[in-house]
Amino acid sequence: MLGVAFSFLLGRRVKSYRTWYTEKFLTSRRHCNFCCFYHRPGRYTRFHEGLLEVSSAEKFNLLQRSLTKDWQILGQWPLLKKVWEMISTLQDLKWIEMQIGWARSMSPGKFTHDKTRPGCFLKMIKNQPLTRAGCGKDVRHFEFEFVSSAIEYVAGDILEVLPGQDSAAVDAFIQRCSLDPDALITVHPREKDNHFLHTCTIAKVPIKLKTFVELTMDVASASPRRYFFEVMSYYATAPHEKERLQYFASPEGRDDLYQYNQKERRTVLEVLEDFPSVEMPFEWLVQLVPPLKTRAFSISSSPSAHPNQVHLTVDVVSWTTPFKRKRSGLCSMWLAKLHPERSIYVPAWFQKGTLHLPPPSLPLILIGPGTGCAPFRGFVEERAIQSESNATAPVIFFFGCRNEENDFLYRDFWLSHSQEGGVLSEAKGGGFFVAFSRDQPQKVYVQHKMRENSRAIWKLLSKGAAVYVAGSSTKMPSDVLSAFEDIVSTEGGLSKESAMRWLRALEKAGSYHVEAWS
């Protein structure tokens, strides 16, 4: 049915009009590069809107009324109901996928072609806190199952998620900008020379304005750039607001703009609310509001251990700005608020990461403090399954956190695999070492534990072990590299310079991997 509807939509032409603005600024060298078409009501748009409003429950009720009698006589109604619920879910997913594709293909945001439509949809089945409540950190273990076609992945891959935006914030943005949330729109690039619509080879399907904003424009998380303030100054009608915006856009106001905007992480919605006289056309908002980007996470599961599932280990980001404003990460907070019992479909894409899954015969040295342990949980799961049928090489894992009682992530998992016969056990030539940085007066980090166990590390390095490092991109990767330099120099009897060359050769040979994030 959806395929027929899609063909029908593409097969008809739509009368449309443009809103023309006469401000001198729009005809200057730095004119708006995009235009928005508002589609007039008609058979085309009525059909399109009607299709938008038909839910799977309504489809099911229609079918139920038409088929209940015959199937009840046959005694097969429960089977039909189950089949139709599955079909309705697939239809809903297809429709959501098409809407995401339409919206993001029209957005000025630089999305690659394979990032417009989701690779798959996931449904959360587990939302488990890994840290103790009130400890100052909130790290979650999320489990998802595929509700569309399953995607093949391996431990060490990356999952990208398109986060949902707060509906109240989207509504506030639309109301503040005096927009019609139900208007059907298409967005096109302007012709650079004559300002007329650029001829598009691909037909664009109208989409509701609110849906376009929800899927493409980051209105309540990202901060606008300086050019946003410059354009705002042309549309400010209050003299004091115009003066302030012009100052922010000038070289002299650069430092004050940083204090007001970037340091406070003010959102587009907050900036617009601070300058109420500004009424910026939607064409400019489409171009200047930061695009809604996908967020990337290291996968913390092995598909061999969890068929049809994918797991994530996510630090729920929150902080307080210098002016005591509460801030939180858009995607991590959205995921943390999802309830497994709610049927929320999560658009996702799988990507190859920098930590490639090693063969079972390769010895491993893993360093993953905090959420850096995520990919190595998948590695250990995969190695444990491999060890059931074949001999596997030793694995040493160095984990770090603040306190044993507060944020020892996956404690039982690591300890179980470090027991006799486990993947991380000393009996198999491996080891599991934890650095609790705040449980004693002097801070202890993973690099300290590495130096304490330098002989075990050098033993595996001498056997051709590969090194994998994952976690924060601040000081940790460089501190870990320094620890390796000391170990190679001390245990291998080399000078510091020779130890550095030895590690560079290890990296060049593809045996020293780092995946770090801010």
Side-chain angles (χ1 to χ4, degrees), residues 146 151-160 295-303 310-313 349-358 374-379 382 468 470 515 517:
F146 293 94
I151 303 295
E152 291 186 2
Y153 74 94
V154 296
D157 283 353
I158 302 294
L159 182 72
E160 294 192 25
R295 269 60 169 180
F297 301 96
S298 294
I299 294 173
S300 57
S301 60
S302 161
V310 61
H311 300 177
L312 297 180
T313 307
W349 294 258
F350 284 85
Q351 304 292 338
K352 290 296 176 186
T354 57
L355 306 180
H356 303 295
L357 182 66
F376 305 138
R377 180 175 179 266
F379 278 21
E382 187 74 23
Y468 289 82
E515 186 171 276
W517 52 85

Side-chain angles (χ1 to χ4, degrees), residues 18-32:
R18 261 174 60 193
T19 305
W20 290 88
Y21 298 95
T22 58
E23 281 79 6
K24 183 178 179 180
F25 176 65
L26 290 183
T27 61
S28 71
R29 180 174 57 86
R30 307 179 81 175
H31 62 274
C32 182

Side-chain angles (χ1 to χ4, degrees), residues 266-287:
R266 273 186 169 83
T267 67
V268 169
L269 177 59
E270 289 173 336
V271 170
L272 290 170
E273 288 175 340
D274 284 349
F275 297 91
S277 77
V278 175
E279 289 293 339
M280 196 183 302
F282 188 58
E283 284 86 344
W284 276 112
L285 293 169
V286 165
Q287 181 174 332

Side-chain angles (χ1 to χ4, degrees), residues 302-307 381-382 385:
S302 161
S304 303
H306 306 281
E381 285 183 336
E382 187 74 23
I385 290 175

Side-chain angles (χ1 to χ4, degrees), residues 333-349:
M333 186 60 72
W334 176 69
L335 289 173
K337 290 180 178 179
L338 290 184
H339 198 285
E341 293 182 359
R342 296 178 59 197
S343 295
I344 304 297
Y345 303 131
V346 179
W349 294 258

Side-chain angles (χ1 to χ4, degrees), residues 209-427:
L209 185 144
K210 181 178 179 179
T211 303
F212 181 85
V213 173
E214 286 176 326
L215 296 175
T216 66
M217 301 168 67
D218 194 342
V219 300
S221 172
S223 298
R225 297 194 175 193
R226 188 188 66 84
Y227 190 36
F228 187 83
F229 293 87
E230 181 179 343
V231 176
M232 281 181 68
S233 69
Y234 285 89
Y235 292 98
T237 56
H240 67 284
E241 291 183 15
K242 182 182 285 288
E243 182 181 357
R244 186 66 175 168
L245 288 167
Q246 288 174 339
Y247 171 70
F248 277 157
S250 67
E252 296 78 14
R254 197 176 295 271
D255 291 340
D256 286 334
L257 177 62
Y258 173 79
Q259 294 292 329
Y260 167 81
N261 188 39
Q262 289 94 324
K263 198 168 184 179
E264 280 296 297
R265 286 293 296 271
R266 273 186 169 83
T267 67
V268 169
L269 177 59
E270 289 173 336
V271 170
L272 290 170
E273 288 175 340
D274 284 349
F275 297 91
S277 77
V278 175
E279 289 293 339
M280 196 183 302
F282 188 58
E283 284 86 344
W284 276 112
L285 293 169
V286 165
Q287 181 174 332
L288 297 180
V289 172
L292 182 64
K293 298 179 180 179
T294 58
R295 269 60 169 180
F297 301 96
S298 294
I299 294 173
S300 57
S301 60
S302 161
S304 303
H306 306 281
N308 202 46
Q309 290 186 12
V310 61
H311 300 177
L312 297 180
T313 307
V314 178
D315 186 359
V316 182
V317 181
S318 62
W319 73 97
T320 303
T321 70
F323 287 99
K324 308 303 179 185
R325 293 170 180 259
K326 299 292 184 181
R327 295 291 189 229
S328 60
L330 173 63
C331 190
S332 62
M333 186 60 72
W334 176 69
L335 289 173
K337 290 180 178 179
L338 290 184
H339 198 285
E341 293 182 359
R342 296 178 59 197
S343 295
I344 304 297
Y345 303 131
V346 179
W349 294 258
F350 284 85
Q351 304 292 338
K352 290 296 176 186
T354 57
L355 306 180
H356 303 295
L357 182 66
S361 59
L362 182 66
L364 302 178
I365 301 171
L366 312 176
I367 299 96
T371 54
C373 71
F376 305 138
R377 180 175 179 266
F379 278 21
V380 171
E381 285 183 336
E382 187 74 23
R383 187 63 64 96
I385 290 175
Q386 292 167 345
S387 67
E388 293 175 0
S389 55
N390 298 292
T392 56
V395 180
I396 293 180
F397 178 41
F398 292 90
F399 175 71
C401 61
R402 291 182 178 180
N403 310 102
E404 183 175 5
E405 298 301 322
N406 290 341
D407 56 344
F408 192 170
L409 308 182
Y410 301 114
R411 172 179 180 161
D412 294 340
F413 176 83
W414 305 122
L415 293 179
S416 67
H417 284 288
S418 62
Q419 301 300 319
E420 190 70 25
V423 172
L424 300 175
S425 65
E426 292 183 8

Side-chain angles (χ1 to χ4, degrees), residues 92 112 117 125 138 142 231 264 300-301 353 369 412 435 461 478 497:
D92 284 348
T112 58
R117 290 197 178 191
I125 58 174
D138 184 6
F142 298 124
V231 176
E264 280 296 297
S300 57
S301 60
D412 294 340
L461 287 175
S478 60
E497 293 76 13

